[in-house]
Amino acid sequence: MTIHSTALISRGLDSWSSEILDISATGLRAARPPGWNGRIDDTFNIDMLIGDSLDIHVVARVARIADDEIGFAYSRIPDDKQVPLWTLLGRYADSDEPYVP
């Protein structure tokens, strides 16, 4: 699902602000921020800031790095953030990866 929103990507003392380019039921693609020093398989905390009131926190590993973007695969979605994420993805998430409580 194409979306243009903000993500805060962090690990330890390092953090970057980035634009989310798209999200899916399994991961997200973000613009590669200046000063990025992550590598494939590194794990990061990501806060996806959607609109004025939705903050979806996930833990994700770097799956792909390009000159101008980074692909992340979700490693962990906290229980209280799963429903907001699936709701955001709507029917796309339900048809691709059904939510099972």
Side-chain angles (χ1 to χ4, degrees), residues 8-81:
L8 177 62
I9 304 166
S10 62
R11 178 184 63 187
L13 298 175
D14 295 326
S15 67
W16 301 266
S17 180
S18 180
E19 180 183 359
I20 299 171
L21 304 174
D22 61 53
I23 61 173
S24 72
T26 59
L28 67 100
R29 184 171 57 100
R32 185 174 175 167
W36 173 257
N37 65 9
R39 296 181 304 224
I40 299 292
D41 287 328
D42 284 353
T43 300
F44 290 86
N45 293 302
I46 301 176
D47 284 288
M48 295 182 275
L49 308 172
I50 317 283
D52 293 334
S53 60
L54 184 57
D55 178 358
I56 300 176
H57 174 82
V58 298
V59 176
R61 70 171 183 77
V62 177
R64 181 174 49 89
I65 300 173
D67 289 340
D68 58 348
E69 63 187 37
I70 306 162
F72 291 93
Y74 303 137
S75 301
R76 183 174 177 278
I77 304 169
D79 290 341
D80 65 329
K81 299 302 180 181

